[in-house]
Amino acid sequence: MKGKVMLEQWLSKPRLIIALMQFSALAITSASAKPIITFTTHVEPQSTAYKFTNLLLTEAFSRIGYKFSMKTLPGKRSLHEANKGVFDGEAHRFSGLNDNNEFPNLIRVPEIQQVIQNAMFSKRVKNIAMPWQALAKYSVTVPRGSVWLTAMAKQYAKDVQELSSPVKMLNFVKHGRADIALMSIEAAELLTSKEFQESGVKQIGPVLSTLAIYTYLHKKHKKLVPKLAFALHQMKLDGSYQRLIKQSKKSGE
């Protein structure tokens, strides 16, 4: 009986009641907080491709119980940091990334994230026939860390310079330090910006390639691979995918 009275007196103190309430709220918040998944990418934050990837993976990971964040790094560093497990995955790469087993710790999520197109952009060169073969006469610049474009450029072009961002690539072409920039049409949206509107740099020739882009998870998260693939697939079926495409394009206007 005495113990019961003491408990009632203890609980009746306002400060203790507030402390208990705060503790309970903290416990509930901690229990319900989602773990954070952080990816790296070589895609520039101002591009539509980045905005769409960020929106898409934020929602997809939320559906499987995670918060998502993404950090842009230079292309090669982005891959190596993800492969080492410094980050939880790489957000935006083509399907053949691991054909040579260069990044053995990265597992491709078997659901297409988006499709991008690559083309040539130049100020000096006005037209180009048989695009790849014609590169033998020109110096070109490619995104550093872009595995496929770099390999193709080195196979055909007279000279290849790898640069860390689309801005640097377009400036190289603008100022005559390279003849042609090989880059995605999405990245070349920068040509509509104030910096490049009067540059004279334009797309030349047809689309060079259409590549399916995938998400890669570090092997420490291999159990999430089928879950994320399913979430991405469901988003295409329930209309979320198209909604986010429109949202990403609208945010870039």
Side-chain angles (χ1 to χ4, degrees):
M1 184 68 180
K2 183 179 179 180
K4 182 178 180 181
V5 171
M6 290 178 66
L7 179 62
E8 289 174 349
Q9 290 175 343
W10 184 75
L11 289 172
S12 69
K13 295 180 180 181
R15 289 182 180 177
L16 289 171
I17 293 174
I18 292 171
L20 284 169
M21 291 174 65
Q22 290 175 334
F23 178 79
S24 298
L26 180 62
I28 292 170
T29 301
S30 298
S32 60
K34 294 180 178 180
I36 299 175
I37 287 282
T38 304
F39 273 26
T40 182
T41 183
H42 66 297
V43 182
E44 288 292 305
Q46 65 266 40
S47 69
T48 300
Y50 178 98
K51 292 169 185 174
F52 175 66
T53 296
N54 192 37
L55 288 169
L56 181 71
L57 293 182
T58 295
E59 182 162 332
F61 272 109
S62 179
R63 292 187 180 200
I64 62 174
Y66 289 82
K67 287 185 177 181
F68 175 76
S69 65
M70 188 162 66
K71 181 178 180 180
T72 294
L73 294 175
K76 288 184 178 178
R77 184 183 166 196
S78 176
L79 281 169
H80 287 291
E81 296 284 88
N83 187 62
K84 288 188 294 185
V86 177
F87 292 88
D88 298 301
E90 229 287 359
H92 188 104
R93 293 288 176 173
F94 79 117
S95 62
L97 177 66
N98 260 335
D99 286 350
N100 297 322
N101 201 34
E102 188 176 355
F103 307 101
N105 297 326
L106 296 180
I107 303 172
R108 179 166 60 89
V109 177
E111 181 70 30
I112 293 175
Q113 183 199 112
Q114 58 184 293
V115 175
I116 63 168
Q117 295 180 314
N118 293 303
M120 297 184 182
F121 298 85
S122 183
K123 179 180 180 180
R124 185 174 77 83
V125 184
K126 302 304 179 183
N127 196 15
I128 194 164
M130 299 181 65
W132 290 116
Q133 291 81 356
L135 287 181
K137 299 188 294 183
Y138 301 113
S139 63
V140 305
T141 177
V142 295
R144 182 175 295 142
S146 179
V147 179
W148 187 81
L149 275 179
T150 301
M152 293 296 288
K154 288 183 176 179
Q155 180 179 345
Y156 290 102
K158 179 176 72 174
D159 178 64
V160 180
Q161 300 179 76
E162 299 179 62
L163 297 175
S164 61
S165 73
V167 172
K168 290 181 179 179
M169 292 173 64
L170 292 175
N171 270 317
F172 259 54
V173 172
K174 175 182 175 181
H175 297 296
R177 298 177 67 184
D179 297 317
I180 296 171
L182 299 180
M183 62 199 305
S184 72
I185 290 174
E186 291 78 7
E189 290 170 358
L190 284 167
L191 290 174
T192 62
S193 68
K194 186 176 180 180
E195 182 177 0
F196 294 107
Q197 276 182 343
E198 306 299 325
S199 67
V201 179
K202 297 179 180 179
Q203 180 179 336
I204 58 169
V207 170
L208 290 174
S209 65
T210 299
L211 290 177
I213 297 299
Y214 290 84
T215 304
Y216 286 79
L217 274 162
H218 189 271
K219 66 180 182 181
K220 63 187 174 184
H221 298 298
K222 63 181 180 181
K223 291 183 179 179
L224 295 182
V225 171
K227 294 180 181 179
L228 185 60
F230 181 77
L232 290 169
H233 185 70
Q234 287 299 112
M235 289 174 70
K236 294 173 183 177
L237 296 179
D238 65 22
S240 301
Y241 189 88
Q242 288 299 321
R243 170 176 56 81
L244 294 178
I245 287 177
K246 292 178 182 178
Q247 187 177 334
S248 62
K249 289 182 178 179
K250 188 175 181 180
S251 66
E253 293 174 354

